[in-house]
């Protein structure tokens, strides 16, 4: 759905800007705040990942307390310095950012490709795919719970960057669909091959106690651990280096994404206009400063990695979902607008996109979603304070047109609260799930959410902005790329 939107309107921070076109200020702030909060957490958590993987070689960066890695005093200085470095690279412009990011991406792809080929060549045990409990030995519930909680969905969130940077590419009609759709397909192929290579590469002896008890004494993760087990010390060292470089690249990317979300919120008049100020390279430098300051606060001790990643995944799912509704609304508001890339099937694909976003929220469990609720409520306080204290005129709040957002999310949170994930499956799969213990399980939850998704979709269509208002918002924020690359 975002391929259709981002090609039609290649604007900076599109994930926030698009809801504003169809549903107004309240809806765009609601999704924009959640999106910004999640994006702002990614760069600092990737900095912490870099420090954690570096810790075995520079032991004063972090320390362990109750099984968690926490930043030491000197480590905090290094973490802030890395945040400052990512900020400086973004300030210098999208051209430098693109060149550095391209180099790091090719490095990561080369390492992954090498690992896949070497594992298949050195050790291939296809029986691992069916033995030791067969498919989903810990239950289906653990499979779905792992999608948000174990970082699987998080691994695919990079497609959104093609939306946020759509206003800074020289040929959005060609580049944006390729970046959005192509990145998901290519990532899926790479990750599936990597997982098959890892699963079949394990010697059968190490699986004697089952998958739940598989562990490696290797700080750089299971891939490096398997490399040592297979006598590939050189590849283990390569993976240790990659474990430091890869999080750094992701942190650099999301420093830019967070900056553009701040810029987009301000362009929607939902944040101070200072955030739209550009330097001589066309970069919103005040937004970068805000990203740096807020990001440093995330270096304070936080919950375990699984819950933190689960929060980011659930929050991004909430911020993505409105895009599906915008596609349906804009087709009704501006049916004659040229759409260089248009999804087939009418409302079917937008409804499915909305439904699958809602499933991600449900699978994240109540223990994570309640934190997202707190974050959203804080955002609404910020929204009210901003509109009460700002000195320049702000657009109408358009609460009626955006009323579907709190109704939708309230329903999803109730379903999440009443949800039930099999605790035995969660325990045996190594996941920590503190979700609800209500009557709605995986299967019933999928049905309930399907009905809720359809109801909210068509309710949103009924309260959408009038066509004239939507056109006025679109004309106020045309394609406004600060620079191109």
């Amino acid at each position: 759905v975002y391929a259709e939107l981002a090609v039609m309107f290649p604007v900076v921070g599109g994930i926030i800007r698009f809801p504003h076109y169809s549903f107004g200020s309240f809806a765009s702030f609601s999704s924009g705040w959640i999106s910004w909060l999640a994006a702002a957490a990614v760069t600092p958590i990737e900095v912490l990942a870099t420090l954690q993987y570096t810790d075995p070689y520079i032991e004063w960066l972090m320390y362990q307390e109750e099984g968690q890695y926490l930043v030491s005093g000197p480590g905090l200085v290094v973490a802030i310095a890395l945040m400052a470095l990512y900020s400086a690279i973004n300030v210098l412009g999208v051209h430098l950012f693109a060149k550095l990011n391209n180099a790091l991406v090719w490095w990561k792809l080369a390492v992954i490709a090498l690992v896949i080929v070497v594992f298949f060549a050195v050790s291939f045990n296809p029986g691992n795919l069916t033995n030791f409990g067969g498919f989903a030995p810990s239950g289906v519930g653990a499979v779905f719970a792992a999608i948000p909680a174990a970082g699987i969905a998080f691994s695919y969130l990079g497609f959104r960057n093609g939306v946020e940077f759509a206003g800074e590419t020289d040929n959005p009609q060609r580049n944006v669909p390729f970046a959005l759709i192509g990145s998901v397909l290519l990532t899926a192929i790479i990750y599936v091959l990597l997982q098959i290579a890892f699963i079949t590469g394990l010697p059968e002896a190490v699986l004697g106690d089952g998958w739940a008890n598989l562990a490696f004494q290797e700080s750089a993760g299971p891939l490096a651990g398997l490399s040592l087990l297979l006598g590939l010390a050189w590849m283990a060292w390569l993976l240790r280096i990659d474990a430091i470089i890869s999080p750094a690249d992701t942190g650099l990317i999301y420093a830019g994404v967070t900056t553009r979300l701040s810029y987009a919120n301000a362009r929607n008049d939902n944040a101070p206009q200072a955030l739209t100020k550009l330097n001589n390279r066309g970069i919103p430098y005040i937004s970068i400063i805000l990203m740096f300051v807020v990001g440093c606060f995330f270096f304070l001790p936080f919950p375990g990695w699984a819950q933190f990643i689960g929060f980011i995944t659930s929050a991004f799912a909430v911020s993505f979902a409105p895009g599906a509704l915008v596609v349906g609304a804009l087709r009704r508001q501006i049916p004659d607008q040229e759409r260089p890339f248009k999804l087939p099937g009418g409302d079917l694909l937008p409804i499915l996109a909305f439904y699958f976003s809602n499933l991600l929220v449900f699978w994240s469990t109540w223990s994570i979603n309640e934190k997202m609720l707190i974050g959203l409520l804080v955002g609404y306080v910020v929204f009210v304070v901003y509109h009460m204290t700002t000195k320049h005129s702000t657009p109408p709040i358009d609460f009626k047109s955006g009323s579907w957002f709190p109704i939708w999310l309230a329903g999803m949170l109730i379903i999440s609260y009443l949800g039930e994930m099999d605790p035995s499956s969660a325990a045996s799969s190594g996941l920590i799930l503190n979700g609800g213990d209500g009557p709605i399980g995986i299967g019933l939850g999928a049905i309930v959410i399907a009905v809720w998704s359809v109801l909210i979709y068509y309710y949103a269509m009924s309260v959408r902005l009038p066509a004239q208002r939507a056109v006025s918002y679109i004309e106020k924020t045309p394609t406004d790329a600060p620079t191109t690359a």
Side-chain angles (χ1 to χ4, degrees):
V1 297
Y2 279 104
E4 178 172 323
L5 293 173
V7 171
M8 188 164 52
F9 302 113
V11 295
V12 175
I15 284 180
I16 291 178
R17 307 273 290 276
F18 299 146
H20 193 80
Y21 297 162
S22 290
F23 301 108
S25 183
F26 180 73
S28 66
F29 176 84
S30 299
S31 60
W33 172 264
I34 288 292
S35 183
W36 183 85
L37 197 63
V42 174
T43 296
I45 201 174
E46 294 293 353
V47 167
L48 293 179
T50 299
L51 296 187
Q52 183 173 327
Y53 285 127
T54 309
D55 181 70
Y57 320 109
I58 308 177
E59 297 181 355
W60 46 265
L61 291 175
M62 306 192 81
Y63 66 95
Q64 291 195 55
E65 184 176 288
E66 297 181 356
Q68 294 190 48
Y69 278 91
L70 300 177
V71 185
S72 65
L76 181 61
V77 175
V78 175
I80 293 174
L82 286 175
M83 285 292 297
L85 175 62
Y86 299 157
S87 301
I89 292 173
N90 275 276
V91 167
L92 293 176
V94 72
H95 292 286
L96 174 63
F97 168 87
K99 289 180 180 179
L100 182 58
N101 179 63
N102 286 342
L104 293 174
V105 167
W106 280 113
W107 159 271
K108 292 194 292 186
L109 288 174
V111 171
I112 292 174
L114 180 64
V115 169
I116 293 171
V117 171
V118 171
F119 278 176
F120 275 134
V122 173
S123 179
F124 183 64
N125 303 293
N128 293 351
L129 297 170
T130 53
N131 299 334
F132 309 105
F135 179 76
S138 298
V140 176
V143 174
F144 290 110
I147 291 174
I152 296 172
F154 179 79
S155 301
Y156 289 87
L157 295 179
F159 84 89
R160 65 164 294 139
N161 303 329
V163 180
E164 308 302 359
F165 288 93
E168 297 173 74
T169 181
D170 56 1
N171 190 344
Q173 287 76 19
R174 180 197 66 193
N175 296 337
V176 172
F178 178 79
L180 271 61
I181 301 172
S183 66
V184 173
L185 294 176
L186 181 61
T187 302
I189 293 171
I190 290 173
Y191 281 155
V192 169
L193 285 174
L194 183 63
Q195 291 304 310
I196 293 175
F198 174 78
I199 292 170
T200 59
L202 289 166
E204 294 184 5
V206 304
L207 291 173
D209 296 327
W211 291 100
N213 297 312
L214 178 65
F216 296 96
Q217 299 299 318
E218 168 55 48
S219 60
L223 294 176
L226 178 57
S227 299
L228 291 175
L229 199 63
L230 298 177
L232 303 170
W234 62 270
M235 195 162 74
W237 275 107
L238 182 65
L239 287 166
R240 288 172 180 144
I241 296 171
D242 183 59
I244 297 171
I245 293 177
S246 290
D249 180 43
T250 305
L252 175 64
I253 292 171
Y254 274 89
V257 168
T258 307
T259 296
R260 281 146 183 85
L261 292 176
S262 301
Y263 174 88
N265 263 321
R267 283 305 303 263
N268 286 343
D269 290 323
N270 283 329
Q273 293 305 296
L275 296 174
T276 65
K277 290 184 177 180
L278 308 178
N279 63 12
N280 57 5
R281 296 177 181 269
I283 303 300
Y285 65 96
I286 301 295
S287 293
I288 292 179
I289 294 172
L290 176 65
M291 178 277 302
F292 169 76
V293 173
V294 173
C296 289
F297 277 101
F298 282 98
F299 293 135
L300 299 175
F302 54 82
W305 171 265
Q307 287 198 14
F308 207 81
I309 288 298
F311 167 79
I312 292 174
T313 300
S314 181
F316 272 143
V318 168
S319 70
F320 291 156
L325 306 186
V326 173
V327 168
L330 286 179
R331 288 177 178 177
R332 291 162 170 83
Q333 291 162 324
I334 48 172
D336 298 326
Q337 174 77 27
E338 181 183 0
R339 289 168 170 81
F341 181 92
K342 184 176 181 179
L343 296 176
D347 286 335
L348 178 60
L349 289 180
I351 289 176
L352 287 176
F354 188 53
Y355 172 57
F356 290 134
S357 295
N358 289 337
L359 284 178
L360 276 179
V361 176
F362 178 65
W363 294 337
S364 295
T365 74
W366 171 249
S367 64
I368 289 172
N369 290 331
E370 65 177 345
K371 297 177 179 62
M372 184 178 61
L373 172 61
I374 295 171
L376 182 63
L377 293 177
V378 171
Y380 283 147
V381 172
V382 173
F383 183 74
V384 172
V385 170
Y386 170 71
H387 277 268
M388 290 179 62
T389 59
T390 185
K391 295 181 179 179
H392 76 279
S393 61
T394 58
I397 294 177
D398 297 314
F399 180 78
K400 179 183 177 182
S401 296
S403 60
W404 59 266
F405 191 97
I407 296 172
W408 158 58
L409 200 55
M412 285 304 306
L413 290 171
I414 291 171
I415 296 170
S416 177
Y417 182 80
L418 297 175
E420 186 270 332
M421 306 294 283
D422 184 358
S424 61
S425 296
S428 60
S429 67
L431 298 172
I432 302 174
L433 298 175
N434 300 312
D437 55 358
I440 302 179
I442 290 290
L444 179 59
I447 297 172
V448 171
I449 291 172
V451 174
W452 185 242
S453 299
V454 173
L455 289 175
I456 292 296
Y457 183 87
Y458 285 107
Y459 173 70
M461 296 304 103
S462 69
V463 299
R464 69 186 187 273
L465 289 173
Q468 298 86 346
R469 179 75 65 80
V471 170
S472 69
Y473 285 158
I474 292 169
E475 290 177 345
K476 182 181 178 182
T477 55
T479 302
D480 57 354
T483 185
T484 58

